mmCIF file of all heavy atoms in Angstrom:
data_model
loop_
_atom_site.group_PDB
_atom_site.id
_atom_site.type_symbol
_atom_site.label_atom_id
_atom_site.label_comp_id
_atom_site.label_asym_id
_atom_site.label_seq_id
_atom_site.Cartn_x
_atom_site.Cartn_y
_atom_site.Cartn_z
ATOM 1 N N ILE A 1382 332.547 -86.310 -30.518
ATOM 2 C CA ILE A 1382 331.211 -86.753 -30.093
ATOM 3 C C ILE A 1382 331.164 -88.266 -29.838
ATOM 4 O O ILE A 1382 330.755 -88.699 -28.754
ATOM 5 C CB ILE A 1382 330.126 -86.300 -31.099
ATOM 6 C CG1 ILE A 1382 330.008 -84.772 -31.084
ATOM 7 C CG2 ILE A 1382 328.774 -86.941 -30.773
ATOM 8 C CD1 ILE A 1382 329.121 -84.195 -32.176
ATOM 9 N N PRO A 1383 331.603 -89.107 -30.789
ATOM 10 C CA PRO A 1383 331.598 -90.553 -30.490
ATOM 11 C C PRO A 1383 332.583 -90.952 -29.397
ATOM 12 O O PRO A 1383 332.333 -91.920 -28.670
ATOM 13 C CB PRO A 1383 332.009 -91.197 -31.825
ATOM 14 C CG PRO A 1383 331.789 -90.150 -32.855
ATOM 15 C CD PRO A 1383 332.008 -88.844 -32.163
ATOM 16 N N ILE A 1384 333.682 -90.197 -29.263
ATOM 17 C CA ILE A 1384 334.672 -90.510 -28.230
ATOM 18 C C ILE A 1384 334.023 -90.388 -26.849
ATOM 19 O O ILE A 1384 334.103 -91.301 -26.025
ATOM 20 C CB ILE A 1384 335.899 -89.575 -28.322
ATOM 21 C CG1 ILE A 1384 336.513 -89.579 -29.728
ATOM 22 C CG2 ILE A 1384 336.933 -89.927 -27.246
ATOM 23 C CD1 ILE A 1384 337.091 -90.874 -30.180
ATOM 24 N N TYR A 1385 333.376 -89.255 -26.602
ATOM 25 C CA TYR A 1385 332.727 -89.044 -25.309
ATOM 26 C C TYR A 1385 331.519 -89.957 -25.136
ATOM 27 O O TYR A 1385 331.236 -90.413 -24.029
ATOM 28 C CB TYR A 1385 332.333 -87.572 -25.142
ATOM 29 C CG TYR A 1385 333.522 -86.667 -24.907
ATOM 30 C CD1 TYR A 1385 333.979 -85.814 -25.901
ATOM 31 C CD2 TYR A 1385 334.210 -86.696 -23.693
ATOM 32 C CE1 TYR A 1385 335.090 -85.002 -25.694
ATOM 33 C CE2 TYR A 1385 335.316 -85.889 -23.472
ATOM 34 C CZ TYR A 1385 335.751 -85.041 -24.484
ATOM 35 O OH TYR A 1385 336.853 -84.248 -24.266
ATOM 36 N N SER A 1386 330.817 -90.227 -26.232
ATOM 37 C CA SER A 1386 329.640 -91.109 -26.169
ATOM 38 C C SER A 1386 330.023 -92.535 -25.799
ATOM 39 O O SER A 1386 329.188 -93.295 -25.299
ATOM 40 C CB SER A 1386 328.908 -91.106 -27.513
ATOM 41 O OG SER A 1386 328.448 -89.815 -27.829
ATOM 42 N N SER A 1387 331.276 -92.918 -26.050
ATOM 43 C CA SER A 1387 331.715 -94.287 -25.735
ATOM 44 C C SER A 1387 331.753 -94.548 -24.233
ATOM 45 O O SER A 1387 331.865 -95.685 -23.797
ATOM 46 C CB SER A 1387 333.085 -94.562 -26.356
ATOM 47 O OG SER A 1387 334.090 -93.836 -25.682
ATOM 48 N N TYR A 1388 331.665 -93.487 -23.422
ATOM 49 C CA TYR A 1388 331.655 -93.637 -21.971
ATOM 50 C C TYR A 1388 330.231 -93.626 -21.403
ATOM 51 O O TYR A 1388 330.048 -93.638 -20.193
ATOM 52 C CB TYR A 1388 332.492 -92.524 -21.317
ATOM 53 C CG TYR A 1388 333.967 -92.672 -21.610
ATOM 54 C CD1 TYR A 1388 334.536 -92.079 -22.741
ATOM 55 C CD2 TYR A 1388 334.797 -93.415 -20.775
ATOM 56 C CE1 TYR A 1388 335.888 -92.229 -23.024
ATOM 57 C CE2 TYR A 1388 336.145 -93.569 -21.049
ATOM 58 C CZ TYR A 1388 336.686 -92.973 -22.174
ATOM 59 O OH TYR A 1388 338.018 -93.129 -22.453
ATOM 60 N N ASP A 1389 329.248 -93.615 -22.294
ATOM 61 C CA ASP A 1389 327.854 -93.684 -21.869
ATOM 62 C C ASP A 1389 327.602 -95.031 -21.186
ATOM 63 O O ASP A 1389 327.963 -96.083 -21.739
ATOM 64 C CB ASP A 1389 326.956 -93.537 -23.106
ATOM 65 C CG ASP A 1389 325.489 -93.400 -22.733
ATOM 66 O OD1 ASP A 1389 324.996 -94.237 -21.947
ATOM 67 O OD2 ASP A 1389 324.827 -92.482 -23.242
ATOM 68 N N PRO A 1390 326.989 -95.028 -20.000
ATOM 69 C CA PRO A 1390 326.771 -96.295 -19.262
ATOM 70 C C PRO A 1390 325.999 -97.347 -20.063
ATOM 71 O O PRO A 1390 326.187 -98.544 -19.837
ATOM 72 C CB PRO A 1390 325.957 -95.854 -18.034
ATOM 73 C CG PRO A 1390 326.268 -94.400 -17.866
ATOM 74 C CD PRO A 1390 326.531 -93.861 -19.238
ATOM 75 N N ASP A 1391 325.164 -96.908 -21.013
ATOM 76 C CA ASP A 1391 324.372 -97.867 -21.796
ATOM 77 C C ASP A 1391 325.220 -98.693 -22.763
ATOM 78 O O ASP A 1391 324.802 -99.769 -23.188
ATOM 79 C CB ASP A 1391 323.271 -97.142 -22.591
ATOM 80 C CG ASP A 1391 322.210 -96.552 -21.669
ATOM 81 O OD1 ASP A 1391 322.072 -97.060 -20.531
ATOM 82 O OD2 ASP A 1391 321.537 -95.588 -22.064
ATOM 83 N N CYS A 1392 326.378 -98.175 -23.148
ATOM 84 C CA CYS A 1392 327.181 -98.909 -24.145
ATOM 85 C C CYS A 1392 328.658 -99.043 -23.771
ATOM 86 O O CYS A 1392 329.453 -99.534 -24.556
ATOM 87 C CB CYS A 1392 327.042 -98.254 -25.514
ATOM 88 S SG CYS A 1392 327.712 -96.589 -25.611
ATOM 89 N N ILE A 1393 329.011 -98.626 -22.573
ATOM 90 C CA ILE A 1393 330.419 -98.554 -22.169
ATOM 91 C C ILE A 1393 331.158 -99.892 -22.282
ATOM 92 O O ILE A 1393 332.373 -99.927 -22.503
ATOM 93 C CB ILE A 1393 330.538 -97.978 -20.734
ATOM 94 C CG1 ILE A 1393 331.978 -97.543 -20.449
ATOM 95 C CG2 ILE A 1393 330.025 -98.975 -19.697
ATOM 96 C CD1 ILE A 1393 332.125 -96.705 -19.200
ATOM 97 N N ASN A 1394 330.439 -101.010 -22.157
ATOM 98 C CA ASN A 1394 331.086 -102.326 -22.218
ATOM 99 C C ASN A 1394 331.015 -102.979 -23.591
ATOM 100 O O ASN A 1394 331.469 -104.117 -23.760
ATOM 101 C CB ASN A 1394 330.470 -103.262 -21.166
ATOM 102 C CG ASN A 1394 330.780 -102.793 -19.754
ATOM 103 O OD1 ASN A 1394 331.908 -102.393 -19.464
ATOM 104 N ND2 ASN A 1394 329.777 -102.799 -18.889
#
Side-chain angles (χ1 to χ4, degrees):
I1382 294 171
I1384 306 296
Y1385 288 107
S1386 299
S1387 71
Y1388 292 89
D1389 188 309
D1391 292 337
C1392 65
I1393 195 167
N1394 294 317

